[in-house]
Amino acid sequence: MYQPLKLKPALKDYIWGGDRLIKDWNKSSEKNAVAESWEMSCHNGGPSVIDGGEYDGKLLKDVINADMLGENAKKFEFFPILVKLIDAKDNLSIQVHPDDEYALKNEGEYGKTEMWYVVEANEGAGVYCGFNKEYTKDEVKKALEDGVITDILNFIEVKSGDTLFINSGTVHAICGGLLIAEIQQNSSLTYRLFDYNRVDKDGNKRELHIAKSIDVIDSSRVVSANETVNVIDGVTRELAKCKYFTAYVHSVNSTYDINVTEESFVGITAIGGVGNIEYNGVSYPIEKGDTYFLPAGMGKVTLKGAIEAISYRV
């Protein structure tokens, strides 16, 4: 019989990261900063490890099978999603991700569509997402050459609880002062257009990918916050739905049932509070910063306590 699997994340210490995930989110690291916590990952660049139970210490990707993933995942060649917590102390690079067609043809891997749920936001913090009006690709290239690319981008000030959906081809960047939950395709394929002329700890600038970025950008794309949020009931809001994933946020004050069908596994990441996952008479503690994988076909799973959590499925 399947049971909830608690996950231990892979942690990344990129140059723009802060220390909130260490101080406030129970992420244990020898580093002074954690930029990203890969909460649910079967990506070779940072796979999740099962924490506790009969599979303790094993990689999630080595334990799961087709039945545990569910019917919807069968259309994908590999584990379909990657879920991160991102602590941006400073701005991330201005970047873009290709779609599947371009990525498969030119890189031999899949592209990347993603969504952001803003968990914490400093006053005035925001994101670059799309352009402030429609531009030609030549105009975008000229702005890059002149070092004024941020002048033509669409800056969106955000607050806790905001959602943004980032289609492949959309130029974007998370800016400093934000902690974001990201649900994305299982891909790390990123083209950087601009990185503020920063250098890493060894004094080297990070690689840019101007030609490929210009190839794949949608220079007419303008994004607004909360464009994909739908209210389901008094507890749950649907944050995004696409062919790669569906994501929800749950604000639970007592109990709430989640139905884990044969169609898809469900992932749960707690972003606030304390509670339990109740299944088949057993309680599994969950608090802010914890992530669980729920295999497909488990049926009714109950969240209990005062807890806010994001769930996602394919």
Side-chain angles (χ1 to χ4, degrees):
M1 180 180 294
Y2 294 141
Q3 62 186 24
L5 300 176
K6 187 179 181 183
L7 302 181
K8 184 182 297 183
L11 304 179
K12 305 292 183 178
D13 64 337
Y14 304 134
I15 59 175
W16 42 262
D19 59 6
R20 282 189 282 190
L21 291 173
I22 298 172
K23 290 182 175 180
D24 302 329
W25 289 75
N26 301 313
K27 306 302 177 185
S28 178
S29 174
E30 297 177 354
K31 306 288 186 179
N32 294 324
V34 171
E36 294 184 355
S37 177
W38 291 21
E39 293 293 306
M40 182 173 291
S41 169
C42 291
H43 193 284
N44 289 333
S48 300
V49 176
I50 296 172
D51 184 9
E54 63 177 305
Y55 301 116
D56 183 48
K58 294 183 179 295
L59 298 179
L60 176 65
K61 66 179 183 177
D62 292 337
V63 170
I64 54 176
N65 56 44
D67 289 340
M68 295 170 76
L69 294 180
E71 289 296 319
N72 293 345
K74 291 181 179 179
K75 62 186 176 184
F76 300 103
E77 296 179 23
F78 46 76
F79 191 77
I81 62 173
L82 174 58
V83 178
K84 303 174 180 177
L85 293 172
I86 298 174
D87 177 16
K89 180 180 179 181
D90 297 315
N91 292 359
L92 278 68
S93 62
I94 307 297
Q95 59 189 245
V96 66
H97 309 298
D99 62 16
D100 289 342
E101 182 180 4
Y102 184 95
L104 287 168
K105 180 180 179 180
N106 293 278
E107 308 288 357
E109 58 181 297
Y110 284 85
K112 183 176 170 184
T113 289
E114 64 193 70
M115 65 140 288
W116 300 335
Y117 181 75
V118 180
V119 181
E120 300 175 11
N122 294 351
E123 185 175 354
V127 299
Y128 289 116
C129 210
F131 294 90
N132 54 29
K133 67 174 186 178
E134 186 171 345
Y135 293 92
T136 67
K137 292 192 176 186
D138 285 341
E139 288 173 323
V140 175
K141 188 175 181 181
K142 177 88 166 45
L144 284 168
E145 292 170 349
D146 294 344
V148 295
I149 184 64
T150 57
D151 291 349
I152 68 172
L153 295 178
N154 181 35
F155 181 79
I156 305 171
E157 188 173 321
V158 297
K159 63 185 182 305
S160 176
D162 282 348
T163 303
L164 297 104
F165 187 81
I166 317 297
N167 278 306
S168 57
T170 304
V171 174
H172 61 276
I174 298 169
C175 297
L178 297 177
L179 196 147
I180 281 177
E182 178 177 286
I183 295 95
Q184 59 161 89
Q185 281 181 265
N186 184 7
S187 170
S188 60
L189 186 53
T190 297
Y191 298 152
R192 294 190 196 97
L193 291 85
F194 182 65
D195 196 37
Y196 311 95
N197 299 311
R198 290 182 294 202
V199 295
D200 62 20
K201 59 186 177 183
D202 298 316
N204 300 314
K205 292 183 179 180
R206 295 199 294 175
E207 182 182 5
L208 301 180
H209 316 89
I210 304 299
K212 289 180 178 179
S213 295
I214 297 298
D215 278 348
V216 305
I217 60 171
D218 178 356
S219 55
S220 66
R221 173 78 168 144
V222 177
V223 179
S224 60
N226 302 320
E227 62 180 14
T228 60
V229 174
N230 296 309
V231 176
I232 303 299
D233 53 37
V235 173
T236 297
R237 290 182 294 146
E238 181 186 278
L239 301 177
K241 187 172 186 177
C242 65
K243 65 181 180 180
Y244 304 108
F245 54 79
T246 301
Y248 307 89
V249 63
H250 313 278
S251 298
V252 180
N253 290 317
S254 180
T255 65
Y256 187 74
D257 294 333
I258 295 176
N259 189 25
V260 187
T261 69
E262 300 283 354
E263 293 181 342
S264 177
F265 69 90
V266 172
I268 295 179
T269 298
I271 57 174
V274 177
N276 292 285
I277 295 174
E278 303 279 346
Y279 179 68
N280 199 31
V282 180
S283 294
Y284 301 83
I286 184 171
E287 63 180 350
K288 178 180 174 180
D290 288 345
T291 292
Y292 278 83
F293 174 90
L294 308 180
M298 288 180 62
K300 186 178 77 171
V301 174
T302 302
L303 284 176
K304 286 189 175 182
I307 188 165
E308 186 171 13
I310 294 174
S311 73
Y312 33 89
R313 62 184 75 197
V314 294

